[in-house]
Amino acid sequence: KLGNGESKGRLGTTCDPPHVLRQADLEGRECIVIGLTMHSPLRGGGTIVFEKVYWVDTQRGFTVPRFQVFAQGGKYKDKTLIAEENVSMREYSPGVWYAEKASRTDFRLDEAGKPQVASNRIVTYDAGFRVNVPVADGDLRLKLPPGTKVHDELQDADYVVP
């Protein structure tokens, strides 16, 4: 979900509903650019605003080939890019698109308040990686040992395996 009014993170963080920012060309394909704004209270007072920007590729299964996070407030005097991820997509089966390679860069402010690269991470999926692989019902059966404590989310029930 993009923006459900809740947020992982700091208590009191709120999230505005997602909104379309614009349409943009990305590698020759038109994408819808969606923004999601989060407001997070700072311990010493004030608020930091995080804007998450998603490029949604409607021609490739509504995948997200680019994602950016900006921050403003607190130590971020101006709107500052703090993370960016670019993903190349692959069609694993007709109409089923998923990541083939993802590259993420995170930024932190240096002592002068200028953004600097803090980390780079590249994830490449093996050529044999598959999605939407058929799974038999038997593959999903689980025999829990006696005495295992279980919380059933569907039934909202707790029990112990006899």
Side-chain angles (χ1 to χ4, degrees):
K1 289 183 186 177
L2 297 178
N4 58 5
E6 300 175 11
S7 170
K8 295 178 183 173
R10 210 170 269 149
L11 186 64
T13 296
T14 60
C15 187
D16 297 343
H19 53 283
V20 174
L21 298 171
R22 64 185 175 280
Q23 291 185 335
D25 181 81
L26 183 65
E27 299 175 1
R29 289 178 315 281
E30 191 171 284
C31 292
I32 299 169
V33 183
I34 297 174
L36 181 67
T37 306
M38 300 169 63
H39 309 268
S40 188
L42 294 169
R43 288 186 188 102
T47 301
I48 188 166
V49 176
F50 295 100
E51 182 182 8
K52 297 182 177 185
V53 181
Y54 302 85
W55 277 255
V56 179
D57 188 338
T58 61
Q59 298 170 12
R60 292 188 169 180
F62 293 88
T63 55
V64 179
R66 177 174 286 166
F67 168 73
Q68 293 179 315
V69 181
F70 296 89
Q72 186 169 10
K75 63 182 178 180
Y76 301 100
K77 303 302 179 212
D78 299 312
K79 184 177 176 181
T80 304
L81 178 66
I82 61 170
E84 180 172 45
E85 185 167 310
N86 291 288
V87 182
S88 57
M89 299 293 175
R90 178 176 133 204
E91 190 172 23
Y92 286 86
S93 60
V96 179
W97 291 88
Y98 192 72
E100 177 176 49
K101 180 179 180 181
S103 173
R104 180 181 173 113
T105 303
D106 291 294
F107 302 90
R108 297 292 177 262
L109 297 180
D110 63 14
E111 296 82 26
K114 302 290 182 204
Q116 301 293 320
V117 173
S119 65
N120 282 311
R121 179 177 56 220
I122 297 174
V123 176
T124 304
Y125 292 86
D126 183 86
F129 179 76
R130 299 182 324 164
V131 294
N132 282 5
V133 177
V135 178
D137 285 346
D139 294 338
L140 300 175
R141 289 203 172 84
L142 181 63
K143 177 117 174 96
L144 298 173
T148 302
K149 294 179 182 178
V150 176
H151 175 73
D152 185 329
E153 292 284 334
L154 293 175
Q155 303 295 323
D156 192 27
D158 294 309
Y159 61 90
V160 176
V161 175

